[in-house]
Structures are given as structure tokens and as C-alpha cells.
Amino acid sequence: MAGIGFELRKLMKGDSYSSLLMAYAYAGIISSGPWILSIIAVLLIGVISLPVVIPALLVSKFQTVVTYLIAFSLILTGLVQLSFTRYSADRIFEKEHYRLLPNLNGLLLVVIAVSGLLSYPIGLLAFPQQSLFFRLLFAATFVVLCCVWVTAILLSGLKAYKAILVNFALGYGSALLLAFLLRHGNLEGLLLAFLAGQFILLLGMFWVVFRGYPSRIFIEFDFMGSGRMYRSLMLTGLFYNLGIWMDKFIFWIHPVTGSNVIGPLRASLVYDLPVFLAYLAIIPGMAVFLVRIETDFVEYYDRFYDAVREGGSLSYIQEMKDEMVRVAREGLYDIIKIQAIATIVVIVAGRQLLRWAGISEIHLPLLSIQVVATGFQVVLLGLLNIFFYLDKRNRVLLLTALFTVLNLGLTLLSIWMGPYYYGYGFALALIMTIAVGMALLDYDLGKLEYETFMLQ
């Protein structure tokens, strides 16, 4: 499958402002589309159900249940997302395309077994006041979500961003339509609609893999062989997803900020909605991130290593290395600048946005700091991707583990300090992690030639 970098370069060849705007718009939709669609779909399902589902508290219960299912399915599958992506990339490099589909089937079988063993006992035992149908839907949705993330991350690793976006739109569009039709079924109807949408999404993505990488073998477990899955990548995926959700978990669980919603699940009225809105402001930063990484940085990255492999002159290798370093630094700075502009716009229009969302203006300070924090999250994502290109897996593991620990400690500190400091823990954890990452990146880029030639 062609990478998005080719599409972006094609759009930018027009040498006009319209071509440039089209490239950035395309990158923004592709990179943040699944995130935005997920957030909007969950919110819209609640909106279209409010006039019908009685009492309205059931809608809040549905949104809480879905949020927990998404969070824990991401954390669980984080153990295999990055490592299986690397496994798939290695198989493609070694011209073993026929292994992708059967090993995806093998991994999905393992994921289904593990997620099912976890979710069905929890679903049956943790919600005694809910119907058996709800408890079965709860467990089944968790299993399907785990399969969705595994398949989506494989397509992402194969650069099939357009296929991911189309299938997410189809899946969540189906969920919205079914939610409208089944909204009279109260909580079970809404959860059934969401489950059906996720299943349609999963089938669509699986069909893309099946058509792009057919194989005569149905199932294989080659990925479980020695040296096939990198433990550092498994831990990185776990820590990254855990770190992203850590502050949310703390606000949900803490007795000062959280409250019971359904069964053992809790939510934070003061924290959740501003966070959802803040994530809608990441589109500009994600667009810049994707364009700079997949076009400029990758271009000089390829030239540098091609020159090394093919015996290019020392001056040319040094020139390509300098250009790669320059583009990496400029790309990170551009992400910061663009996201800063988006942040200022959201802060200025914050009161109106809260009114449109039906949220009290008392949440404005928290919305402002969360918009800043989500912008830094995009910067961290760009930094981690550069380390991945340089194959610095231990650096990424260190940064994600540091982010998780900092987010835990600083979020607890922010709650202890009082409502005025809510959200600052997440933001400061990202800032400190980025500062460490920038220092490590400068050090690694300075030693790039030595490590390329002497440590091979």
C-alpha cells in the first residue's frame, strides 16, 4: 500500500497556496480523523438519545461505559500494538508479505481469548443491578474494541491511513444511525448500536488487509517466535496508553473529583467534558506533525541512509545528516507554533464553545489548560516518532515510562492543591517529558554518524 507521504508530496507539487492548504487539510483529516470521529460519535449518540432515553442519567451511563471500554482496551492492546507493527514492517522488508494476514489472525485469536477472559467475568460480576443482556454487551464490546485497535495499528503501520479513516467513518456513522433507531431501547439499545458500529469498522479494516496482503495460510503464530516481538516496544505501548489515561483515571477514582455512575465505574463531571473538547483542538498540530514527518523528515532520512548503504561521499552524507537534523528540529518547532495558535483561538472563543456544548463557564480555566496540554501531547507524539525512525526504542520506553509516572504524581498533587490547579498535572508531565526528550534527541543526533558507522 502506498504511504501517505506519496499522497502529500503529490498534493504539494502544485506549488501554490491552494495545494499547500489541501495537503495540510488532508493530513489533518487523516491523522486526527479517527480520534475526532470517536469523540464526536460518542457525544452525538448521547445528544440524539437525550430526548428519548428516560431517565437522562442512562445516557451519561452509556458514555461512561464506552469511555472505560475504550480506555482499557487501548491499554491492554498497547502491549502488542507497536511490537506487532514492527513485526509487520520486518516481514515486509524481508519480502514475507504472505505472513501478515495469518499472523494478524493469530494475534486476533490471542487478543480475543485474553480480552474475553478478562471482560466476561468482570461484566457478569461487576454489574449485578444491570440486565444480563447489558453485561454480555459490555464484555462483547470490549473484545471487539481490542480487535479494532490491533487491526487499526497494523493498517497505520502499513501507511493505510485513508482506509483507516474511511472505515472509522463507516463504523461510527453506522453506530450513530443504529443509535437513533435503537435509542428507545435505553442503555442496552445504545450499547448494542455502538457494538454493531465497531463490528462493522472491524470487518471493513480486516477486508482491507485481506485484499492487500492475501495468503494461502489462514492462521499462524510466527510473531510469537523468539526475537519476533520486541519487549521494549510492548512496554512502550503499555506505558504510552497508560500515561495518556492516567490523569483521567485519577480524577475518576479520587473521592474529591469523581462520583459513581454505574456499577464500579466512576466519572468526573468537572474534568471529563473540558478534556473531550480540548482534544478537538489537536487537528492543526496533527496536520503539521504528519506533513513534516512524512514528507520533509522522511525524505532526508532516506537520503542519509541510502548514502550510507550505497557508499556516498562523506561530504554528501554529512550534508544529508545536517538537513535531517534541521528538518526534525523545525518540524517540532512548527508543531509547537501551530498548536499555540490553535490554543489561543480556543481560549479566546472558550466561553462561546462552552455555551454551545451546554457546559458551565466555570470550566473555562480547565478547558484552557487542557487545550495547552493536548497541544503538548502532539509535540510528544512527534518527538517519539523521530526516535522511532532513528530506532531508539529504549529512548521511547524511557520517555513514555517517565510520562506515566509524572502524570500520576503531578495529577495527584494538582488535586491536593485545589480546583484552580486541575489539569496542570497533565500539562506539566508533558512539558517535563518533552524537555527530557529534546535533550536526548540533541545528544543522539550529535552522535548519529558515529553510531551509524561504528555500531553496526
Side-chain angles (χ1 to χ4, degrees):
M1 297 181 187
I4 189 174
F6 297 111
E7 296 286 342
L8 293 175
R9 292 189 191 99
K10 192 187 302 181
L11 289 172
M12 297 176 76
K13 278 181 180 177
D15 241 358
S16 66
Y17 286 115
S18 59
S19 299
L20 187 64
L21 287 174
M22 190 177 297
Y24 277 101
Y26 180 76
I29 293 171
I30 293 296
S31 60
S32 58
W35 295 16
I36 303 305
L37 285 172
S38 302
I39 293 172
I40 293 176
V42 173
L43 292 176
L44 285 181
I45 289 174
V47 170
I48 65 176
S49 305
L50 276 174
V52 177
V53 178
I54 305 296
L57 179 62
L58 289 179
V59 175
S60 176
K61 290 182 177 180
F62 161 76
Q63 292 174 332
T64 300
V65 167
V66 169
T67 302
Y68 271 85
L69 289 172
I70 291 175
F72 281 103
S73 60
L74 281 170
I75 292 170
L76 178 63
T77 56
L79 283 166
V80 296
Q81 288 177 9
L82 294 176
S83 53
F84 190 71
T85 300
R86 176 59 185 265
Y87 168 82
S88 301
D90 289 345
R91 301 289 72 74
I92 293 174
F93 180 78
E94 295 178 3
K95 310 299 183 184
E96 296 179 349
H97 300 78
Y98 61 90
R99 289 194 183 275
L100 292 179
L101 181 60
N103 278 278
L104 174 62
N105 289 336
L107 179 60
L108 287 176
L109 180 61
V110 174
V111 168
I112 289 171
V114 174
S115 60
L117 288 173
L118 290 173
S119 62
Y120 277 94
I122 293 174
L124 293 172
L125 299 176
F127 303 95
Q129 296 181 341
Q130 303 300 317
S131 67
L132 177 62
F133 187 41
F134 168 84
R135 287 180 275 177
L136 292 175
L137 285 174
F138 177 90
T141 303
F142 182 78
V143 173
V144 172
L145 276 171
C146 288
C147 295
V148 165
W149 304 134
V150 169
T151 310
I153 200 66
L154 172 62
L155 289 178
S156 179
L158 299 175
K159 307 295 186 182
Y161 298 108
K162 193 182 298 183
I164 295 174
L165 180 61
V166 169
N167 282 288
F168 264 80
L170 178 63
Y172 279 101
S174 302
L176 280 171
L177 176 62
L178 291 171
F180 179 78
L181 298 175
L182 300 174
R183 65 195 189 282
H184 299 279
N186 292 335
L187 186 57
E188 287 81 0
L190 297 179
L191 194 55
L192 177 60
F194 184 78
L195 172 60
Q198 294 301 308
F199 189 70
I200 292 171
L201 166 59
L202 176 61
L203 290 180
M205 291 192 299
F206 192 76
W207 177 248
V208 173
V209 178
F210 180 80
R211 291 189 62 186
Y213 296 94
S215 176
R216 295 181 179 180
I217 306 172
F218 178 72
I219 191 167
E220 193 175 49
F221 296 93
D222 178 68
F223 68 93
M224 299 181 71
S226 178
R228 294 298 206 183
M229 300 279 276
Y230 292 92
R231 292 181 182 177
S232 60
L233 292 178
M234 296 177 72
L235 291 174
T236 295
L238 174 65
F239 280 127
Y240 179 76
N241 286 291
L242 189 60
I244 293 298
W245 288 95
M246 182 60 70
D247 57 308
K248 289 81 172 172
F249 288 146
I250 293 172
F251 271 88
W252 295 340
I253 296 171
H254 202 285
V256 174
T257 56
S259 58
N260 288 319
V261 177
I262 177 172
L265 307 185
R266 296 167 61 86
S268 176
L269 295 176
V270 71
Y271 196 74
D272 293 347
L273 286 175
V275 171
F276 271 118
L277 291 177
Y279 272 105
L280 298 178
I282 67 172
I283 297 178
M286 290 296 294
V288 173
F289 154 71
L290 196 61
V291 169
R292 297 309 300 266
I293 293 296
E294 291 292 341
T295 56
D296 299 341
F297 178 79
V298 169
E299 179 182 353
Y300 288 109
Y301 172 90
D302 289 339
R303 289 183 183 181
F304 173 76
Y305 283 102
D306 285 345
V308 171
R309 286 191 297 266
E310 296 170 7
S313 66
L314 182 60
S315 60
Y316 181 75
I317 292 174
Q318 183 66 49
E319 181 185 353
M320 291 303 101
K321 181 258 186 180
D322 291 340
E323 288 297 314
M324 184 173 65
V325 171
R326 179 186 61 81
V327 169
R329 288 172 177 164
E330 288 183 357
L332 291 173
Y333 295 148
D334 285 347
I335 294 172
I336 294 173
K337 288 184 290 187
I338 295 299
Q339 200 59 43
I341 295 173
T343 300
I344 293 171
V345 171
V346 172
I347 291 175
V348 171
R351 293 185 187 279
Q352 187 60 48
L353 291 173
L354 291 176
R355 291 195 198 103
W356 287 343
I359 305 173
S360 171
E361 292 183 15
I362 197 174
H363 293 91
L364 182 58
L366 180 56
L367 173 63
S368 300
I369 188 61
Q370 283 297 326
V371 170
V372 173
T374 53
F376 281 122
Q377 184 178 327
V378 179
V379 177
L380 177 61
L381 189 60
L383 190 62
L384 296 180
N385 269 269
I386 292 174
F387 277 121
F388 275 131
Y389 269 107
L390 300 177
D391 201 24
K392 298 289 184 179
R393 297 189 302 273
N394 290 332
R395 296 292 201 217
V396 180
L397 176 57
L398 171 64
L399 292 175
T400 52
L402 176 65
F403 171 52
T404 301
V405 173
L406 287 173
N407 198 11
L408 170 63
L410 293 174
T411 299
L412 286 172
L413 179 61
S414 70
I415 295 177
W416 176 79
M417 294 177 69
Y420 183 78
Y421 297 95
Y422 289 175
Y424 281 86
F426 182 47
L428 287 175
L430 284 163
I431 291 172
M432 295 170 70
T433 304
I434 289 170
V436 173
M438 291 284 197
L440 292 175
L441 182 60
D442 276 341
Y443 177 80
D444 289 337
L445 290 176
K447 296 181 60 179
L448 187 60
E449 300 102 318
Y450 169 78
E451 293 184 349
T452 300
F453 285 101
M454 303 302 294
L455 300 182
Q456 299 301 316

